[in-house]
Amino acid sequence: MNTAATIPAKAGPDERHRVIFAGICALILTVGLARFAYTPMLPIMRDQAGLSHLAGGWLATINYAGYMSGALLAASISDLGRKFVLYRIGLVIGVLSTAAMGLTDNVLLWGGLRFVAGLSSTAGLLMASGLVLNWLIRRGHRPELGLHFMGIGLGIAVSGIAVGSMAEWLAWDAQWLGLGALGLVFFVPAWWWLPAPVSVQVAAASAAPTLTAPTRRWMWLMIASYFCAGFGFVTSATFIVAILVKLPLLAGKGSWVWVIVGLAAAPSAFVWDRVAHSIGRIQALMIAYGLQVVSIVLPAFTDSAALNVVGALLFGATFVGIVSLTLTIVGRHFPANPAKAMAKMTLSYGVAQIVAPAMAGYIATATGSYQGALIVTAVVMVGGMALLQALIHEERRAAHP
């Protein structure tokens, strides 16, 4: 058998850049526009389309239920060819579900569209990442996805810039149609520049050192702490714009606050990787959780525009890092089958993303503000930090029984 015929030559930098750019475009479309454009659009829809606090919270919950369903579907499929088909279906759904939000004012239909938009986001977050990784391995490149995950922050920034640019001259429904049209710009490279996958024969699990399998208690502590992280992430991600636009100096500038979040998120995975190399991954997670608590409590206790912008920066700089650090830790502990362990983590994170927005919607309806929801979220995140501290003790106990 001719080895040269089965192992492609290493691709040039231009081809590598095209493939990575395709993955970034997939994230901008399915996460930045289909999933997260709802955040800067939420206050606009409340003002112009009559969306209530409670309905707004439930639409966010339904959106994350769609994401969790897609994540579980992705985790259940091992065949890369089928994942490639689902990836392309997700791209189409991302464009259509975004534009269709502007074609109705029925809350039930909005709920259905938010569900399928959440479903489509797994095309960029899970399927595109696997396909890009497959291509990098097959072509002899280092299997790193740091550049790919920059698409999350860039997608948030793109959705904020788009909504901020259209808010002055288009009504809410026309803005959704404009976001759908913008999605087509990213759809084309995401569709054409990500090649179909080819099976990769990995050599005997490589010689890289791996960690011993953790105890059951360690795994449950990690799952519980990640639930807290999901709770903290989704409350800020869903309501941060709606909260900050009520401040006099930020009135009418909510979309630009969302841009700040995205720009802070874009390089954060690289920064947290370096912090983790210096002090350890779980210790880095503790710091990230602590900074996110600060980002949550600032809008609850101060009306200062400057401090609230600092809070938005801290949120953007931490949430992608928390996800990347957590999944890296779990993957290193389960090198033989990381997907199964990551699926448990995704389920925990996803459950929090369903519970938290509905909770915030109920509290906001009862009190007329999001302050109570932010305080509850901060307490949950502090609980997550306590679980991480317990995780450190568990690792020490396992190392020195």
Side-chain angles (χ1 to χ4, degrees):
M1 184 175 178
N2 186 353
T3 305
T6 58
I7 302 177
K10 187 170 183 175
D14 288 345
E15 188 177 359
R16 175 176 172 271
H17 292 155
R18 279 197 299 272
V19 171
I20 291 174
F21 182 66
I24 290 172
C25 287
L27 279 170
I28 293 173
L29 167 58
T30 63
V31 178
L33 295 175
R35 186 176 174 197
F36 280 150
Y38 177 70
T39 297
M41 285 298 298
L42 178 59
I44 296 172
M45 291 178 71
R46 278 219 309 269
D47 290 342
Q48 299 182 14
L51 184 66
S52 67
H53 283 292
L54 184 59
W58 272 109
L59 288 182
T61 290
I62 292 168
N63 183 235
Y64 292 115
Y67 166 70
M68 191 171 72
S69 301
L72 293 175
L73 175 64
S76 69
I77 298 173
S78 57
D79 180 73
L80 282 174
R82 295 169 87 182
K83 284 191 175 182
F84 183 67
V85 172
L86 289 175
Y87 162 74
R88 287 190 156 183
I89 292 173
L91 297 179
V92 174
I93 292 174
V95 173
L96 295 180
S97 63
T98 302
M101 285 291 291
L103 298 178
T104 180
D105 59 3
N106 185 293
V107 175
L108 293 178
L109 291 178
W110 278 341
L113 291 170
R114 297 318 299 152
F115 182 86
V116 295
L119 199 66
S120 79
S121 66
T122 58
L125 273 171
L126 299 178
M127 297 186 190
S129 61
L131 293 167
V132 170
L133 192 63
N134 170 269
W135 187 91
L136 291 172
I137 293 171
R138 180 161 50 95
R139 291 290 183 165
H141 292 286
R142 292 170 65 182
E144 296 177 346
L145 291 172
L147 285 174
H148 171 74
F149 282 111
M150 282 184 65
I152 298 176
L154 293 175
I156 290 172
V158 166
S159 67
I161 291 169
V163 173
S165 302
M166 294 186 292
E168 296 297 322
W169 53 285
L170 290 178
W172 70 270
D173 50 353
Q175 288 184 62
W176 278 113
L177 293 172
L179 290 167
L182 178 61
L184 289 172
V185 174
F186 301 101
F187 173 88
V188 173
W191 180 283
W192 289 111
W193 285 356
L194 192 58
V198 172
S199 296
V200 178
Q201 190 69 34
V202 181
S206 83
T210 57
L211 300 176
T212 57
T215 64
R216 181 174 294 183
R217 174 179 163 81
W218 184 97
M219 192 63 189
W220 278 112
L221 286 169
M222 179 60 80
I223 289 172
S225 68
Y226 201 46
F227 171 89
C228 297
F231 206 99
F233 157 73
V234 73
T235 302
S236 291
T238 303
F239 300 109
I240 189 169
V241 172
I243 292 167
L244 297 191
V245 293
K246 293 184 177 181
L247 301 178
L249 290 178
L250 296 177
K253 299 181 178 65
S255 300
W256 302 111
V257 172
W258 195 231
V259 173
I260 291 171
V261 171
L263 293 178
S268 64
F270 297 105
V271 174
W272 285 109
D273 276 345
R274 282 169 171 75
V275 174
H277 283 307
S278 299
I279 65 173
R281 285 185 171 83
I282 296 180
Q283 288 79 1
L285 266 179
M286 288 273 285
I287 295 173
Y289 274 50
L291 291 174
Q292 194 162 114
V293 169
V294 175
S295 77
I296 291 166
V297 299
L298 279 175
F301 292 107
T302 179
D303 290 335
S304 166
L307 288 177
N308 276 278
V309 169
V310 169
L313 283 168
L314 285 175
F315 170 66
T318 52
F319 80 88
V320 174
I322 288 172
V323 171
S324 64
L325 285 172
T326 302
L327 297 184
T328 298
I329 291 168
V330 171
R332 291 180 71 226
H333 275 288
F334 295 91
N337 190 3
K340 185 176 180 180
M342 288 181 182
K344 293 179 181 178
M345 304 302 293
T346 300
L347 180 61
S348 172
Y349 201 74
V351 169
Q353 292 181 68
I354 292 173
V355 172
M359 175 277 300
Y362 277 114
I363 292 177
T365 300
T367 65
S369 80
Y370 291 107
Q371 184 180 34
L374 292 172
I375 293 171
V376 171
T377 302
V379 170
V380 171
M381 286 294 292
V382 170
M385 295 177 70
L387 290 166
L388 289 175
Q389 186 60 51
L391 202 60
I392 293 173
H393 289 312
E394 176 65 18
E395 288 191 338
R396 290 173 182 165
R397 187 194 65 80
H400 304 287

